[in-house]
Amino acid sequence: MNPIDQGPVKTGRPEAIKAVPVRHPGRWAGAVVVAVLAAMLIHALVTNPAFQWSVVGDTLFNDQILHGLLVTLELTALAMVMGVIGGIVLAVMRLSPNPLLSGVAWVYIWVFRGTPVLVQLVFWNFLAAIWPKLSIGIPFGPEFVSGSTNNLIPVFVAALLGLGLNEAAYMAEIVRGGLQSVSEGQTEAAHALGMSRFQTMKRIVLPQAMRVIIPPTGNETISMLKTSSLASVIALEELYQAGHNIFSRTFQTIPVLIAVSIWYLILTSILTVGQYYIERHYARGANRTLPPTPLQRIRGLFTGRRKPSKAHDVVPGLEGGGHL
Amino acid sequence: MSDLAKTPADATRAMVRAEGVHKSYGLVQVLKGIDLEVKQGEVFVLVGPSGSGKSTFLRCINHLEKINAGRLYVDGDLVGYKQKGDRLYELKDSEVARQRRDIGMVFQHFNLFPHMTALENVIEAPVQVKGESKSAAKERGMALLERVGLADKSGNYPSQLSGGQQQRVAIARALAMQPKLMLFDEPTSALDPELVGEVLDVMRGLAEEGMTMVVVTHEMGFAREVGDALVFMDGGVVVESGDPREVLSNPQHERTKLFLSKVL
């Protein structure tokens, strides 16, 4: 029974194994249960009149909703810019050898991570209760410009401060982790070549830290998009508050909530795709071959599975062969 | 201290000159008074057991480590300090960076920049530090990669290169700054035995062209063949020094004999 003698293989390699695969009856049973539940849900969504799908469609492009959408996008973008810049500053302060700088950063992060963002939002909105007047001048000296706090900080700015300053505390920890993940040998090599501290940070350390910083920052952005709906408590008319205003007038609560949710889903989906490409960009040099783009994955679903010629052609999530 | 505070003038003949160099980390004394001189164009080999302070001394030469006492000159200039009268002043970061431009360093673990291709690694410092134009730097960079036998790998990232290839790129990267002195910190210790030869070949070529080199190594064959001077260190002091062939074949001190009996 020597396979080399009888096999058709010319190279003398033993015949490829053709075995009956292990059956998984449990998986089949589970799949049936899930399929039935999914069918029930779809049936309910389509037939239950309470969903009022025509109202959902109308509400999606309602002017008030579209305006709220714009406010949500602005608030998310600006709060994240504040968070990232503040986070980098706080991270550098935390890593500073100066105990005053690192101490101040520590206390900031402690306070802003340790209290609910909802409370912080309301706090910034009521800033006028503590300081009715804000001014620019010499500390403990004369003032140059001053104005009423309520005029200087409208609701949008209060929401921005609440979300942005809170985000900075979280981003600080993310950036710090990224900077510390770059080995000291990299800094030494750059210094040995005569590069300055700033050049070393900008050209060598940050680009490598980005690979660690980007994925959680993407998550933070997606999370911020949804957290921005909390600004409704200080009556900022962002996406959720716009919906709230509509259904408290029309009492069509469910369809309006669905319309609002659809917008949130669309936005988070776009952000997810964007994050994927940014991560791919910063993976240069870290992976021998870049991961496939979503398009390549979809193509891989049809071609790659039949002949996975190289490791990176394998569809992630389906590596083990996708049968039930 | 005052007899150590000599004018740099009498240190100019030497590329590196160490006078009573001390270095400690907290209470641990790593260097306990190193005196030595590396002449222009010389291949100077530092050997010794691990923990003897040889790598630390090498890192002091380009001020990656600060010395606690003594004086260290490179090409007649104090490393990391300037002297006015009897007083020493620490150099600013930018001045330290300027000193380091002329001193190339090759590390045990290569320390290539992983997010840049081989060629980008080589041209990074000339473009960023010296302000060379990208095209000129690329041309010189390709010539340097050619010289270490890696012209065909210029577009590869470090993770796509073998250890020996990475170390040769690292040598090309250091040479791109046209240094007057090259420091090698155990350049072959992290390599597979098969790959050691290709790196030593490049170093041998450099030595033949007259580059001044300070080499920390365990490659006694290289020391014997290429080295012009050798120092054996142990416990933070120089135990024995002289011509490499002399010291390696006929060591005078017990400690040197013991060490060499284990490595040779």
Side-chain angles (χ1 to χ4, degrees), chain B residues 12 23 39 43 62 76 102 142 170 179 190 194 198-199 201 257-260:
Chain B
T12 41
K23 168 75 192 171
K39 294 191 189 72
V43 176
N62 67 354
D102 299 330
M142 280 310 292
E194 269 189 307
E198 61 189 61
V199 171
D201 283 343
K257 282 178 193 164
L258 185 70
F259 176 75
L260 291 177

Side-chain angles (χ1 to χ4, degrees), chain A residues 13-236:
Chain A
R13 237 179 65 172
E15 205 180 326
I17 292 174
K18 279 188 212 131
V20 180
V22 175
R23 302 296 176 196
H24 299 283
R27 288 187 198 172
W28 281 102
V32 169
V33 171
V34 170
V36 169
L37 287 176
M40 282 168 69
L41 180 67
I42 290 168
H43 177 257
L45 284 175
V46 174
T47 57
N48 191 327
F51 288 107
Q52 302 180 66
W53 288 104
S54 64
V55 179
V56 172
D58 293 343
T59 313
L60 267 181
F61 299 101
N62 176 305
D63 280 347
Q64 234 180 320
I65 292 283
L66 290 181
H67 179 259
L69 180 69
L70 197 65
V71 174
T72 289
L73 283 175
E74 284 171 359
L75 187 58
T76 305
L78 290 174
M80 277 315 290
V81 168
M82 244 176 104
V84 169
I85 294 173
I88 292 174
V89 171
L90 284 167
V92 172
M93 282 171 72
R94 275 284 269 140
L95 296 173
S96 158
N98 182 333
L100 185 68
L101 288 183
S102 69
V104 166
W106 185 88
V107 170
Y108 180 98
I109 293 166
W110 176 64
V111 170
F112 280 85
R113 284 207 313 176
T115 54
V117 65
L118 185 60
V119 174
Q120 290 173 31
L121 277 168
V122 178
F123 178 87
W124 288 111
N125 197 37
F126 283 95
L127 198 67
I130 324 172
W131 294 292
K133 226 176 65 167
L134 294 181
S135 61
I136 298 177
I138 297 167
F140 307 108
E143 303 171 351
F144 303 135
V145 203
S146 69
S148 139
T149 303
N150 273 336
N151 294 338
L152 286 172
I153 304 191
V155 203
F156 184 84
V157 176
L160 184 58
L161 283 173
L163 295 173
L165 294 179
N166 179 263
E167 187 56 35
Y170 284 91
M171 282 307 301
E173 291 298 278
I174 292 171
V175 173
R176 184 169 70 102
L179 294 180
Q180 285 180 331
S181 74
V182 180
S183 84
E184 216 168 314
Q186 293 291 309
T187 315
E188 281 185 355
H191 284 169
L193 285 166
M195 294 174 80
S196 69
R197 271 169 201 278
F198 181 75
Q199 283 171 330
T200 304
M201 181 57 83
K202 180 174 152 238
R203 301 278 312 169
I204 308 301
V205 178
L206 260 185
Q208 293 183 61
M210 286 308 261
R211 204 166 51 81
V212 179
I213 294 173
I214 287 288
T217 304
N219 289 341
E220 289 293 311
T221 310
I222 289 168
S223 169
M224 175 64 79
L225 187 78
K226 296 174 292 170
T227 310
S228 67
S229 64
L230 287 181
S232 60
V233 297
I234 55 175
L236 176 71

Side-chain angles (χ1 to χ4, degrees), chain B residues 105-211:
Chain B
M105 184 156 191
V106 174
F107 298 86
Q108 181 178 0
H109 296 289
F110 332 133
N111 294 358
L112 287 181
F113 306 133
H115 58 304
M116 298 180 184
T117 63
L119 184 60
E120 286 168 349
N121 264 281
V122 175
I123 68 170
E124 177 67 12
V127 172
Q128 298 296 326
V129 178
K130 281 191 170 167
E132 238 176 78
S133 80
K134 247 192 167 168
S135 56
K138 270 189 180 163
E139 204 171 304
R140 269 193 335 107
M142 280 310 292
L144 283 166
L145 286 176
E146 179 99 55
R147 178 168 161 194
V148 296
L150 289 171
D152 56 326
K153 301 283 184 190
S154 64
N156 285 36
Y157 286 98
S159 61
Q160 297 164 327
L161 299 174
S162 75
Q165 291 170 334
Q166 288 190 51
Q167 194 61 300
R168 287 188 280 155
V169 173
I171 294 173
R173 178 176 72 174
L175 290 176
M177 289 298 281
Q178 295 164 316
K180 54 190 179 193
L181 168 68
M182 284 283 283
L183 309 175
F184 291 86
D185 188 4
E186 302 197 25
T188 57
S189 296
L191 296 177
D192 287 348
E194 269 189 307
L195 304 177
V196 169
E198 61 189 61
V199 171
L200 292 183
D201 283 343
V202 171
M203 292 170 63
R204 197 173 289 124
L206 263 181
E208 280 162 12
E209 287 166 35
M211 173 65 76

